[in-house]
Amino acid sequence: MRQFVDTGTGELFYEEQILRRTDEIVKVFRPAGRSSKFVKIKASQKAKRRLRKLSLAEAGFLLKIAPYASEGTNLLEGDNERGQKGIPLSVKDLARIADCSYPTARKIVKTFIELHVLRRTDLEGRSALAINPLYALNGKTAEAWLLQLFKQEITEAGEDPNLD
């Protein structure tokens, strides 16, 4: 491995060789401390078919709200920039995050609930939305609670219930 130094900033760079198949995409993440999130979008053939069924607006909406999923539970919660940290985001908050109108966000959320991309649940007396881990997952593993919430969809999809 070769090392390079940016003379302007002093930042270190490393040269690495990556071998990949022609149908694979490599994405490089730059760690940004504790504030970085790694939301995994499922890449199985079944997941790709599910994602292809979404319109461009719906796919964009999902991509923009996914970083607000809490680790392991996929609950859409605030981060103190959008909504209060740890408090479920409202559809109005999601509209601001996705940079769309409230009626558009409401329509997409309704469609996502019908398609089982999102599910409403009760969190300490508040209504909360969770993302189906068949579409995206924040964290290494889904908590048992999240798997139970989407158990029927996971079973019907023929996916591994642990979603490793």
Side-chain angles (χ1 to χ4, degrees), residues 34-104:
R34 301 183 78 192
S35 65
S36 63
K37 278 191 176 183
F38 299 100
V39 177
K40 298 183 285 189
I41 304 296
K42 297 290 284 179
S44 69
Q45 288 301 322
K46 291 176 184 177
K48 288 175 189 172
R49 281 193 290 274
R50 279 191 291 276
L51 289 169
R52 277 195 303 265
K53 290 179 183 177
L54 300 178
S55 71
L56 185 58
E58 291 165 348
F61 188 87
L62 180 61
L63 186 63
K64 286 184 175 185
I65 67 170
Y68 291 85
S70 59
E71 189 169 344
T73 66
N74 271 8
L75 287 169
L76 295 171
E77 296 179 329
D79 64 355
N80 284 342
E81 184 178 321
R82 295 284 189 218
Q84 189 177 345
K85 187 169 180 79
I87 302 297
L89 291 168
S90 67
V91 175
K92 201 175 280 189
D93 294 324
L94 297 178
R96 279 188 234 121
I97 290 165
D99 196 27
C100 66
S101 69
Y102 173 72
T104 299

Side-chain angles (χ1 to χ4, degrees), residues 133-134 147 150-161 163:
L134 292 174
L147 296 174
F150 288 99
K151 183 179 181 179
Q152 182 178 344
E153 291 81 9
I154 294 168
T155 303
E156 288 173 3
E159 293 279 350
D160 177 7
L163 295 172

